[in-house]
Amino acid sequence: MSTPKSNQSGGGAGMMEALVCHPFDTIKVRMQLSRRGRQPGTKARGFIGTGAAIIKRETPLGLQASAPSGSPTPLAITSKAIFLAGLSAGVTEAVAVVTPMEVIKIRLQAQQHSMSDPTDVPKCRNAGHALFTVVREEGFGALYRGVSLTALRQGTNQAANFTAYTYFKEQLYNYQPEYVGGTLPGYQTTLIGLVSGAMGPFSNAPIDTIKTWLQKTPAQEGVSALQRITRIAGDMFRQEGVSAFYKGVTPRVMRVAPGQAVTFTVYEFLKAKQEKSKLVGGGVEYSE
């Protein structure tokens, strides 16, 4: 069970993670939507090339195009319970929060315009304007386009992340019994957060890439979501092969893995401070 104090720790950790790592998400989306490499004689841009192109055309602010995010809270029960809890948490956040924010974020990130040229006005100026435009032109349901893929991505992300982090944490406690009942050193929390955070992106990259294409474009009348997903996946495979499904995996790992390292490190730090404050001055009992 979490208390207001544990929620504050998770919220602070999530905010720090979003500020530090969002530029990698923008690069990931641009790489996934890039059509370079599909025609003979052209070569797809890599992570660095894509980032440099965004900065050149849109200034460094282009890397921060929309920055919504969620933050996980680590659990410590059984491995099966942790996996299911992570899966449930990911699906819940996908349905309740992440999907609409992803649609708006991707629409903003996918725009090709120059932020340094005041005469080049983008279709969507900011998150609020993008929300208004999508609802006006495509209806409220458009905000939940790709919800099944988003739920699958978030669920597998959090399940892998929670399970791996808890396993690594338990192993470190086994090797260092002096820390049992307390907090691990910050560098250890950062390291295991980094490793556990990388597992989700590597395992579900194809889901994320197909989701990005699905959420970027308006729905087609008479075409179901399953038909669109199948068509997108088929087109990607025919045009670029298996590698198309892993476009953008490098910036995604660089965004998610350090993000989880930041999240877990800040969470553990704030939790330790709050528990110490409770022991010194009393207050509401903390429990997980």
Side-chain angles (χ1 to χ4, degrees):
M1 182 179 71
S2 64
T3 66
K5 284 190 175 184
S6 66
N7 291 334
Q8 291 168 9
S9 298
M15 180 66 72
M16 184 66 69
E17 179 265 344
L19 292 174
V20 172
C21 300
H22 185 71
F24 295 117
D25 186 70
T26 299
I27 296 173
K28 178 212 72 169
V29 169
R30 293 292 180 87
M31 289 179 69
Q32 289 176 333
L33 298 178
S34 173
R35 298 181 184 275
R36 290 177 62 93
R38 295 190 179 188
Q39 292 80 28
T42 63
K43 184 178 180 181
R45 285 197 185 102
F47 162 66
I48 296 177
T50 301
I54 293 173
I55 293 173
K56 180 179 179 181
R57 180 168 173 78
E58 304 174 36
T59 77
L61 293 176
L63 296 173
Q64 289 287 357
S66 178
S69 179
S71 62
T73 302
L75 302 175
I77 318 173
T78 66
S79 296
K80 182 178 179 180
I82 291 168
F83 181 87
L84 292 176
L87 187 66
S88 300
V91 171
T92 301
E93 70 175 355
V95 175
V97 179
V98 175
T99 302
M101 299 175 83
E102 284 272 292
V103 172
I104 298 305
K105 173 181 70 69
I106 287 171
R107 295 298 178 91
L108 288 171
Q109 290 173 326
Q111 292 185 125
Q112 301 292 326
H113 66 281
S114 175
M115 295 182 69
S116 60
D117 182 359
T119 64
D120 188 7
V121 181
K123 180 179 180 179
C124 300
R125 296 185 294 273
N126 50 50
H129 185 240
L131 172 64
F132 174 78
T133 301
V134 170
V135 173
R136 181 188 63 186
E137 296 182 354
E138 304 172 43
F140 183 80
L143 296 176
Y144 283 88
R145 185 165 300 130
V147 64
S148 59
L149 293 180
T150 304
L152 184 59
R153 185 200 67 176
Q154 293 298 112
T156 53
N157 263 352
Q158 302 293 45
N161 188 21
F162 284 5
T163 303
Y165 180 81
T166 304
Y167 172 79
F168 291 140
K169 189 175 179 180
E170 290 175 350
Q171 294 305 307
L172 287 175
Y173 278 135
N174 288 338
Y175 284 109
Q176 304 168 110
E178 66 271 22
Y179 290 116
V180 174
T183 304
L184 291 168
Y187 76 90
Q188 294 184 12
T189 303
T190 300
L191 179 60
I192 62 176
L194 187 72
V195 175
S196 63
M199 294 186 175
F202 279 124
S203 64
N204 58 28
I207 297 171
D208 188 61
T209 304
I210 295 172
K211 178 199 70 68
T212 297
W213 275 104
L214 185 68
Q215 293 178 326
K216 174 186 180 288
T217 55
Q220 298 169 295
E221 189 173 350
V223 181
S224 68
L226 180 59
Q227 289 175 317
R228 293 189 66 208
I229 291 171
T230 303
R231 182 180 301 172
I232 289 170
D235 288 344
M236 290 171 60
F237 182 76
R238 283 192 299 272
Q239 295 175 12
E240 298 182 71
V242 176
S243 63
F245 296 97
Y246 289 87
K247 290 173 69 174
V249 69
T250 299
R252 185 170 174 231
V253 169
M254 293 181 70
R255 181 250 188 270
V256 175
Q260 293 305 316
V262 170
T263 296
F264 282 123
T265 301
V266 174
Y267 174 85
E268 297 285 5
F269 174 79
L270 293 178
K271 186 180 73 171
K273 289 291 185 182
Q274 290 168 354
E275 289 180 329
K276 183 178 180 181
S277 175
K278 181 205 70 173
L279 291 174
V280 173
V284 179
E285 183 180 8
Y286 179 87
S287 63
E288 272 190 329

